[in-house]
Amino acid sequence: MAETMDVLVTNIGQLLTMASSGPKAGKEMQTLEVIEGAVLGIKDGKVAFTGTAEEAYGLTASETIDCGGKLVTPGLVDPHTHAVFGGSREHEMALKQQGVPYLDILKQGGGILSTVEATRAASEEELVRKSSFYLDRMLSLGTTTAEVKSGYGLDVQTELKQLYVTKTLQDKHPVDLVSTFLGAHAIPKSHKDHPDVFLEEMAGMLQQVKDEKLAEYVDIFTETGVFTVEQSEKYLKKAKEYGFGLKIHADEIDPLGGTEMAAGLGAVSADHLVGSTDEGIRKMAESGTVAVLLPGTTFYLGKHTYARARKMIEEGVIVSLATDFNPGSSPTENLQLIMTIAALQLKMSPEEIWNAVTVNAAHAIGRTEQAGQLKEGRNADIVIWDAANYKYIPYHYGVNHVNTVLKNGKVVYQRREIIG
Ligand SMILES: [Zn+2]
């Protein structure tokens, strides 16, 4: 072999290629594609070679990165975030500790409605700057592709502003972003008694969002006190007619039947699923709808009942994991921490977890052909970890194990050495 690469990543202790034929469902999630003593070749920003050092014999490149025996994996994929928002809500932590119910915080102008106020008040430039900072942090933590939802505008003007912010970031930030329109995130104060009128207003935006390519997916919050299953179904059917992929915040608290509805509509994913019924789980397995689990939210809300990941895996569901990064119920960009919570609370094995944050997560946001795997033709989105094997990452918790991140074959982050 005498092929020339742009970059050769050599001396890889353990390479997770995740090079399966597609997303993994149920028990398939226990398998991982691993090459020990590997080399990875990059050409034109894409993965062009993976194999053992022996197989790489004769390969040359203008640049070599020696991994010194470290673990190398695909860039992490975070398939559920709310990374564009105004303000922050640290003052609510003390109220929660005092046992003030969320609904009372909401009445005092706190909760999601305070984020809506702050997002409305912020300029587009301010939001771009703020979200860029969060995306920088995501990248430093190993996330190279993420989904971002709107939903803190709850009026036409601000929802559009949020979507434009995401569009700007898609052009200028190295993290690849997949945009979701979540105008139906909550009922704004102005429409407290008229949720149907509000949903019609949001549905009225679909044409423009489609024409201007501002989002690929449409999402809705189906929950007690927010939107009913019937309202959600009607809204999502409209979105489907416009050609959007569907996502749904389903059964986070009560088993309303959002899981079943998502499966019935052929949604690409249903997210949260803490209250999903056995029937809902079986239907997801049948329809191939991805279960995007958000255990960081359960943890941060101080709850003790987590989504039933084991049951879902047993029934053959495609399970994924995400941060749900948002200023209220999950203020973290750190998918590594979510991997630990998944191990401890969802009882997922390291193999299942790695599939959940790479190949399955990419599938949940329609990026199967670009992200989540290291095989020929995929984006060279690569993380070199300060660890010798993949089991180490969920085990040693709460810190950043990333050594180096490459996006499309270029180094975009490198851990700093301590000086002095
Ligand atoms: Zn969410």
Side-chain angles (χ1 to χ4, degrees):
M1 196 188 296
E3 218 182 324
T4 306
M5 302 277 154
D6 297 333
V7 184
L8 267 186
V9 184
T10 63
N11 204 4
I12 301 171
Q14 197 174 61
L15 175 68
L16 256 57
T17 65
M18 322 302 295
S20 57
S21 55
K24 291 180 189 162
K27 294 192 177 74
E28 290 167 8
M29 290 178 67
Q30 279 154 22
T31 60
L32 274 188
E33 295 74 18
V34 183
I35 305 173
E36 308 275 345
V39 170
L40 184 145
I42 299 168
K43 205 167 181 176
D44 300 325
K46 308 277 182 201
V47 176
F49 172 86
T50 58
T52 60
E54 223 168 62
E55 290 163 343
Y57 183 75
L59 275 187
T60 55
S62 37
E63 190 190 340
T64 300
I65 300 173
D66 186 330
C67 294
K70 292 184 196 298
L71 166 72
V72 171
T73 74
L76 304 180
V77 179
D78 191 343
H80 183 138
T81 86
H82 304 253
V84 178
F85 57 86
S88 64
R89 312 230 298 260
E90 60 274 23
H91 52 279
E92 282 174 27
M93 211 167 190
L95 295 174
K96 280 187 205 160
Q97 285 168 336
Q98 290 156 23
V100 180
Y102 180 72
L103 286 177
D104 288 351
I105 295 176
L106 210 55
K107 270 183 210 149
Q108 292 169 28
I112 184 170
L113 296 178
S114 79
T115 299
V116 169
E117 288 310 313
T119 307
R120 287 177 180 174
S123 71
E124 207 175 307
E125 295 69 35
E126 276 166 357
L127 291 175
V128 167
R129 226 177 357 232
K130 196 166 187 291
S131 296
S132 279
F133 180 77
Y134 298 137
L135 295 181
D136 287 352
R137 190 178 276 149
M138 274 190 198
L139 197 61
S140 74
L141 289 158
T143 299
T144 50
T145 301
E147 186 251 21
V148 178
K149 300 171 194 295
S150 71
Y152 292 121
L154 308 183
D155 62 28
V156 174
Q157 197 191 344
T158 316
E159 286 297 319
L160 283 174
K161 180 170 73 182
Q162 271 194 283
L163 293 169
Y164 289 136
V165 168
T166 301
K167 195 170 179 143
T168 301
L169 292 167
Q170 279 172 330
D171 294 337
K172 65 180 260 187
H173 200 279
V175 172
D176 279 331
L177 298 179
V178 174
S179 176
T180 295
F181 173 51
L182 177 60
H185 192 191
I187 303 168
K189 257 191 265 171
S190 55
H191 292 69
K192 200 159 52 85
D193 303 316
H194 309 285
D196 290 307
V197 176
F198 174 66
L199 283 181
E200 266 168 44
E201 256 176 50
M202 291 298 110
M205 289 178 64
L206 292 172
Q207 186 68 58
Q208 187 181 356
V209 173
K210 191 79 200 169
D211 289 347
E212 296 187 32
K213 296 189 172 64
L214 295 176
E216 290 176 52
Y217 295 96
V218 168
D219 192 346
I220 189 166
F221 210 100
T222 309
E223 194 56 69
T224 307
V226 193
F227 301 109
T228 66
V229 170
E230 292 69 31
Q231 286 168 330
S232 304
E233 189 163 21
K234 191 175 157 204
Y235 179 80
L236 289 176
K237 275 185 176 162
K238 256 185 236 172
K240 201 176 176 178
E241 280 168 23
Y242 281 94
F244 289 101
L246 306 181
K247 290 181 165 285
I248 167 170
H249 281 68
D251 299 332
E252 178 179 354
I253 302 159
D254 295 325
L256 294 185
T259 313
E260 288 87 336
M261 190 232 330
L265 286 173
V268 64
S269 77
D271 303 29
H272 280 299
L273 310 177
V274 176
S276 294
T277 62
D278 288 358
E279 177 66 9
I281 290 171
R282 268 194 297 276
K283 286 200 166 144
M284 284 188 74
E286 277 167 30
S287 66
T289 300
V290 183
V292 176
L293 305 183
L294 311 169
T297 308
T298 312
F299 167 75
Y300 197 78
L301 291 174
K303 295 188 175 177
H304 303 289
T305 306
Y306 283 79
R308 292 187 294 154
R310 291 262 47 98
K311 174 76 178 167
M312 292 175 194
I313 291 170
E314 202 178 291
E315 293 289 344
V317 175
I318 303 167
V319 175
S320 177
L321 291 163
T323 57
D324 193 18
F325 174 48
N326 76 76
S329 59
S330 190
T332 184
E333 301 92 334
N334 189 351
L335 202 47
Q336 296 171 53
L337 178 60
I338 304 305
M339 292 164 79
T340 297
I341 302 174
L344 297 175
Q345 301 294 349
L346 303 183
K347 313 290 180 204
M348 287 170 72
S349 70
E351 293 77 18
E352 290 165 345
I353 289 168
W354 276 102
N355 280 302
V357 295
T358 55
V359 61
N360 286 4
H363 182 64
I365 53 174
R367 290 296 183 272
T368 317
E369 300 296 317
Q370 293 83 25
Q373 296 182 307
L374 295 175
K375 64 178 184 186
E376 240 182 282
R378 297 292 188 266
N379 294 346
D381 299 349
I382 296 162
V383 180
I384 303 170
W385 301 87
D386 284 320
N389 68 78
Y390 66 85
K391 291 182 183 174
Y392 194 84
I393 308 305
Y395 150 76
H396 185 150
Y397 87 109
V399 297
N400 186 10
H401 295 288
V402 170
N403 180 283
T404 304
V405 179
L406 285 84
K407 184 77 189 72
N408 299 321
K410 298 252 177 331
V411 173
V412 287
Y413 171 81
Q414 214 151 23
R415 176 173 60 73
R416 291 224 192 138
E417 302 290 339
I418 303 293
I419 301 159

